[in-house]
Amino acid sequence: MQLEVRTGAGTLRGSGERGIAVFRGIPYAAPPLGPLRLEPPQPPEAWSGVHEALQSAPGPPQILDGLSETLGLLTEPVFAEDCLYLNVWTPGIDAGRRPVLVWLYGGAFQGGSAASPVYDGGALCARGDVVVVSLNYRVGALGFLHLGSGRSNLGLRDQIAALTWVRNEISRFGGDPDNVTIFGESAGAGSSIALLVMPAARRLFRRAIVQSAAPEGMLHADEATERTGLFFERLGVGGADVEALRTAPLDAILEAQQKCVVAGPHRAGMFFLPVVDGEMLLEMPMDAVSQGAGRDVELLIGTNAEEMRLYALFPGLGELTDEQLQHSVASRLPGTEAERAASARVVLDAYRAGETANRDLFFAIETDWHLRLPAVRLAQRQAAHQPKTYMYLFKWRSPLRDGVLGACHVLEVPFVFGNLDLPKIREFGGEGPAARRLSENVMDAWLCFARNGDPSHPG
C-alpha cells in the first residue's frame, strides 16, 4: 500500500493499519505561538524532505475533566498550544473520490482532543470505503474568548482552516472535496450548527451530522464582552489587554479559565461559547436557519434519549424538593407569576406520567429544554428550505453504574466510530452482539447519509 502523499506543503509518510492508510499529526495551520497566539490561523510552513505523519498531535491546552477520564474519552492525554493538526484515515491513496467525513470533537468548548482513542476513524473508514478526518481546534480562552474584530471565534476559524485544507488536499488521499460531511458531538455539534450558517464556511462541506447540540447555546457580543471582562479579572489583568494575554503563562490562563467555568455565568456548564460577532457569525444560527442560510446543506440531527443523565455521576445534582423543581420549571415559562406556576404544574404532571423521582424529572426536563426540543425546532426550520433533513433518537442505555446513566450524553460516540472494544468504553457503552449490531447500524446510517444524503439502509 502506498503510504506517501505529496501535499501542497510537502511530502507526508503515513502508516498502514488494518488494511488502510493513516496519516496523523498533519499541520493544517502554523503553530499559534508567540505573536500568533490569539490570532486567526495562518497557513503552515512548507517543509523539505518527508514529514513522518505517524503520531497524533497533542490536544489544545485544557484542564482535564473527571468525566472524560471516567468514561474513557481521553486516556493519557497530552496537551500543548502547538495543536493545529489533523489526522486522515483512507482506504487508498488513489483517485477514488470517496465521501469524506470530518469529525469535530466535543468538550464544552473548553476541552477535547482529536487524539482520543474513541475518535479513531479506522473502523468507520474501512466499513464504508470513506475518508475520515479528525482535527484539533483551540478551546477555552485561547479559542473562544471574545477579543473583538479579527480575534473572535478563533476555534471556529481553526475549523474553517482545517476544512479549507480538506478542500485543497483531500483528493490526494483518495477523497472527494465536493462530497464532505462534517459530523460532531456536543460542542463539536454546536460548532457544526455555527458553520452551517457562517459565510466563511460556505461550500466547504455538503452535509452535516449534528449529535447532541445545544442549538441556542451561542452568545451575543455584549454578553461575550462581559465574560471577557470577568476572565481578565480572574487573570489579574486590568481591562481586556490582548497583549498581556498574549504573553501570559499558559498555566495562569488555564487557572483563570477554570475559575470562570466554576463561578459562571454559564449555560449548561459552558462559559466559553461561539459568539455572534457580526464578522464570522452574523446572527443566531436558529434565526439564520429560519431564513434559509443553511439551505444548501443536507442535515442529520438528533439527540440521545436521556442526555442530561450523564450528570447523575455528580452526587446530589438534581435532588430537588417539589417546590424547588416547580420553581425551576416556572422560571423558564412566560406569563405572570401565577400563570407560570400553573403552567409548571401542567408540565410536571406530564413528565410524571413517565418518571417518578424528582431527580429523574429534573434530568428529563433538562434534556428536553437544552437539547432535544431545540434540535427539533432547528430541524423544522431547516426542513422548510432543505428537503434532505432527518432526525434520529438514540435510546441505547449505558450499563455503567448499574444503568444510572441511561441513554446519556456522549454515549452514541463509540457506536458511531465502531470503537466499543476500548477498555473503559466497554464499561460505558456496553458489549456483546446487541451492542455490536447497533454500532453497525449507526455507522451504516452515518455512512449512507455521507454518501448520498439519506441515512436509510437495510439495517
Side-chain angles (χ1 to χ4, degrees):
M1 175 182 289
Q2 181 180 340
L3 296 174
E4 288 192 2
V5 176
R6 174 72 184 177
T7 72
T11 300
L12 296 164
R13 179 180 294 127
S15 59
E17 300 176 14
R18 296 175 291 180
I20 60 176
V22 184
F23 297 81
R24 291 186 168 90
I26 302 172
Y28 71 82
L33 305 174
L36 293 184
R37 180 194 270 183
L38 310 178
E39 296 297 330
Q42 301 300 309
E45 290 188 10
W47 62 85
S48 59
V50 177
H51 178 81
E52 300 286 347
L54 305 176
Q55 186 173 354
S56 294
Q62 61 197 268
I63 294 177
L64 184 63
D65 67 274
L67 275 180
S68 294
E69 289 185 294
T70 298
L71 303 179
L73 300 178
L74 290 175
T75 55
E76 301 180 1
V78 178
F79 306 124
E81 272 196 82
D82 183 5
C83 63
L84 300 184
Y85 299 83
L86 54 78
N87 309 310
V88 176
W89 291 262
T90 179
I93 309 301
D94 52 30
R97 293 188 70 84
R98 299 170 178 85
V100 181
L101 290 99
V102 180
W103 173 250
L104 304 174
Y105 52 69
F109 296 102
Q110 66 194 41
S113 171
S116 169
V118 77
Y119 304 149
D120 186 290
L124 197 60
C125 167
R127 185 171 183 86
D129 190 36
V130 297
V131 178
V132 178
V133 178
S134 67
L135 61 100
N136 282 335
Y137 60 92
R138 284 173 284 183
V139 297
L142 297 179
F144 289 94
L145 195 65
H146 184 49
L147 297 171
S149 180
R151 297 193 182 97
S152 63
N153 293 313
L154 292 176
L156 296 180
R157 293 173 190 255
D158 293 343
Q159 295 166 13
I160 289 172
L163 287 168
T164 301
W165 184 96
V166 169
R167 161 68 65 176
N168 294 335
E169 303 288 357
I170 207 65
S171 62
R172 306 172 192 262
F173 295 81
D176 182 355
D178 295 319
N179 189 5
V180 173
T181 298
I182 58 173
F183 69 128
E185 185 269 342
S186 194
S191 297
S192 299
I193 290 173
L195 293 169
L196 179 70
V197 301
M198 291 173 69
R202 198 156 292 149
R203 292 183 290 277
L204 291 178
F205 58 96
R206 184 174 177 180
R207 303 184 176 100
I209 303 175
V210 177
Q211 303 169 211
S212 303
E216 295 164 336
M218 312 275 169
L219 299 177
H220 288 291
D222 54 353
E223 184 179 357
T225 299
E226 289 180 13
R227 296 188 183 202
T228 297
L230 289 171
F231 172 82
F232 276 100
E233 284 180 18
R234 287 167 171 80
L235 185 63
V237 173
D241 189 336
V242 173
E243 292 309 313
L245 181 57
R246 198 190 306 277
T247 57
L250 183 58
D251 287 347
I253 294 173
L254 292 176
E255 182 180 350
Q257 178 177 306
Q258 190 67 7
K259 289 177 181 176
C260 291
V261 169
V262 171
H266 49 69
R267 298 180 191 169
M270 293 186 285
F271 183 93
F272 299 99
L273 289 165
V275 180
V276 179
D277 58 358
E279 181 180 3
M280 297 296 291
L281 188 57
L282 303 184
E283 58 186 321
M284 284 291 182
M286 195 74 83
D287 296 331
V289 168
S290 295
Q291 297 165 28
R295 69 174 71 246
D296 296 330
V297 179
E298 295 160 6
L299 179 67
L300 173 58
I301 182 171
T303 60
N304 299 348
E306 301 168 289
E307 293 273 2
M308 301 302 280
R309 289 192 71 88
L310 176 64
Y311 304 104
L313 290 173
F314 298 151
L317 181 63
E319 292 180 354
L320 306 176
T321 65
D322 289 350
E323 183 179 356
Q324 289 170 331
L325 187 58
Q326 177 162 321
H327 176 74
S328 173
V329 174
S331 67
R332 305 175 186 189
L333 300 174
T336 66
E337 184 176 348
E339 289 169 340
R340 291 198 302 270
S343 297
R345 285 192 292 271
V346 173
V347 169
L348 288 168
D349 285 345
Y351 276 91
R352 281 198 177 95
E355 306 284 359
T356 53
N358 280 0
R359 196 174 193 223
D360 294 333
L361 287 170
F362 171 79
F363 287 131
I365 290 169
E366 292 297 304
T367 291
D368 282 353
W369 180 265
H370 291 290
L371 299 168
R372 180 66 182 168
L373 295 182
V376 172
R377 287 194 289 271
L378 186 77
Q380 289 171 331
R381 297 179 187 197
Q382 177 72 353
H385 303 280
Q386 170 53 256
K388 286 193 171 183
T389 300
Y390 299 87
M391 291 204 78
Y392 72 86
L393 180 64
F394 187 85
K395 298 176 72 174
W396 178 271
R397 308 191 85 224
S398 170
L400 190 67
R401 307 273 177 94
D402 297 322
V404 68
L405 299 180
C408 68
H409 197 58
V410 181
L411 183 59
E412 90 288 357
V413 172
F415 289 84
V416 167
F417 281 93
N419 290 331
L420 292 173
D421 291 333
L422 297 169
K424 286 190 176 182
I425 295 299
R426 279 198 297 269
E427 301 170 19
F428 175 46
E431 54 187 332
R436 287 195 298 275
R437 185 164 57 251
L438 176 59
S439 180
E440 291 168 355
N441 280 332
V442 171
M443 283 195 287
D444 287 345
W446 269 227
L447 290 164
C448 284
F449 182 77
R451 192 170 296 281
N452 56 41
D454 186 340
S456 305
H457 63 86

